[in-house]
Amino acid sequence: MAGHRIAVVGATGAAGEMTLRILEERKFPVRELRAFASERSVGKSVTFAGDSIRVEKVTPEAFRGVEIAFFSAGTAQSKEHAPLAVRAGAVVVDKSNAFRMDPAVPLVVPEINAHAVKGHQGIVASPNCTTVVTVMALAPLHRAARVTRVVATSYQAVSGAGVRGVEELRAQTLAWARGEAITPSFFPHQIAFNLIPAIDRFGPDGYTGEEMKLVNETRKILDAPALRVAPTTVRVPVFTSHSISVTAETEVKITAARARDLFERFPGLKLWDDPAQQRYPMPIAVEGQDDCFVGRIREDLSSPNGLSFWVVGDQLRKGAATNAVQIAELLARS
Amino acid sequence: MAGHRIAVVGATGAAGEMTLRILEERKFPVRELRAFASERSVGKSVTFAGDSIRVEKVTPEAFRGVEIAFFSAGTAQSKEHAPLAVRAGAVVVDKSNAFRMDPAVPLVVPEINAHAVKGHQGIVASPNCTTVVTVMALAPLHRAARVTRVVATSYQAVSGAGVRGVEELRAQTLAWARGEAITPSFFPHQIAFNLIPAIDRFGPDGYTGEEMKLVNETRKILDAPALRVAPTTVRVPVFTSHSISVTAETEVKITAARARDLFERFPGLKLWDDPAQQRYPMPIAVEGQDDCFVGRIREDLSSPNGLSFWVVGDQLRKGAATNAVQIAELLARS
């Protein structure tokens, strides 16, 4: 029988659900699919390729026979249960923050560092969603002229915080439409018609966890440990797709024309850069697409070898599930 | 009789209306107030200090006896009618883009370069709203340690585009709430739940007019013609208050602690920087306030003398009407 034995852990969450959809869309060869989730979701079912699949609880024996296990259930879950899957002989594709910076774990964006998968010891990590979208645009510049410094400022959709983030923006906006008071329950402040310039916990230096992921993961994926990154991450009242405004400096100057050419040739990246036609990437235009989109390309007015641009990606797809399934495709091929 | 003879041109628009409110709030000594607007608003009236004031049309004789004329009717109107006011002996406080970069016209943020008002030849310009908010935070750093480079990325509210911008976000959001299709009419694309990374027209180098205002006006206000600025301006689905993410480099290093101290002492600037309490400036918290608010202060990870921060201001107030009235206060005093 052709195909692989697959498990999706966190199958009832936004990222797990999207993983099921992407496996179908990309016709990933699946012989058997098993769905895992937390205790309170056990008994529910998910749909895969027309079949209804009952959600199971993770147990020490749960992963017996599984070849590839997608983990999208959060960092604590991955830390606890990924080792069980590895011990059972599965390769874990982990979407959480649990192992990304572990030197023994490859952190992979297949268009950029597919080769890194080879060294895995049972776990391959998929980067944080904002990192994936940003690094997709940095990679072709880095290959051509080595990126030395990046100032990256994000505009992050509520679905990046999961289903509850989406519900909160929806509920607050509907309350506004009815003329009712808005009460935050999930995000620390109102998100409808507002901006929250803080995602994840703060470190002692004033940077958030989300910001440090962007710094450290970008360095690891590009294999550029000395790359200097200035990160700012901000939650915006957008449902889906993360946008990042980037100013990047390279060792050798890249003109805007050359950058357009490099972006256009890079797999997984699409160029939308036609100001005369008011054409540039926007969240609502990018939602539902697997590629990342780059536009507003211009030579930096503030540094001799700088380049500014705007990159947008559906963070549930390329920022999460699509990237994870692409990693599984690499594993299936090797 | 005490007080000044004041005219407000564009009195029925968002900025003109706010100018009337700020004149009241700040108890600006007004002896006579006249309201001007375009032909289609003539016959309407506006309220000032409890009186109803009929809106007049601008004529060559209209400004006779006026001492200070606020212009908030757009660039074309200012170009055409400001010289009439000057010829009639008024001093024009111009909110438009018409004269800002004219070497004979002071461009003034009173907390920063009040002295520049003295050299006026009948017109004093008030900067673009995004510039005002950004430069309010740059000024104390520049005074202490000379700012050499700025990367500024904006999150601009729809009211920055005027009343029609507000109506469009409101109408699109209500359409969404009713499950109806959203059709853009004022902005080039949907703004509800979306981001439009383009404000104003594009130049040949890929920068927008809004972005170049930020570059050129910042240099002029800080009297720093060699200051390097990398601007990105983005429209966001927020009603009021512009937010700017800034990474600034200075000739001499400023620590985060010193920056907090400098910000806190600067008039018109308030420090909201307490991550442990999830306290940082946000548009909905800043709306309706005359000060600008700065937070998320941290030393830049990507440059030795860099500092990153987040500054938010009500762009209808400090970004427009409040700044204009403050300029008038300087004029009234001199």
Side-chain angles (χ1 to χ4, degrees), chain B residues 15-26:
Chain B
E17 170 63 31
M18 187 61 87
T19 302
L20 296 171
R21 296 295 75 78
I22 305 284
L23 286 167
E24 292 171 344
E25 285 180 19
R26 294 177 75 95

Side-chain angles (χ1 to χ4, degrees), chain A residues 149 153-155 173 189 194-195 197 206-207 211 228 230-232 249 278 282-284 296 298-300 302, chain B residues 149 153-155 173 189 194-195 197 206-207 211 228 230-232 249 278 282-284 296 298-300 302:
Chain A
R149 185 186 175 194
T153 307
S154 76
Y155 300 65
T173 308
H189 305 280
N194 196 26
L195 307 166
Y207 288 88
E211 287 162 349
R228 292 170 293 136
T232 303
E249 294 168 49
Q278 297 283 357
M282 296 182 298
I284 57 162
R296 294 295 331 267
R298 56 219 194 272
E299 290 166 33
D300 180 21
S302 77
Chain B
R149 185 184 176 197
T153 307
S154 77
Y155 300 64
T173 308
H189 305 280
N194 196 25
L195 308 166
Y207 286 88
E211 286 161 352
R228 293 170 291 136
T232 304
E249 295 167 48
Q278 298 283 357
M282 296 182 298
I284 58 163
R296 293 296 330 269
R298 56 221 195 273
E299 288 166 34
D300 180 21
S302 76

Side-chain angles (χ1 to χ4, degrees), chain A residues 18 21 34 37 47 59 84 93 96 111-112 115 125 136 175 177 184 192 215 217 219 245 256 300 310:
Chain A
M18 186 61 87
R21 297 295 75 78
R34 293 174 61 195
T47 308
T59 63
L84 298 179
V93 178
S96 85
E111 292 89 343
I112 302 173
H115 58 87
M136 279 294 289
V215 175
E217 296 178 15
R219 287 175 173 166
S245 168
D300 180 21
W310 172 257

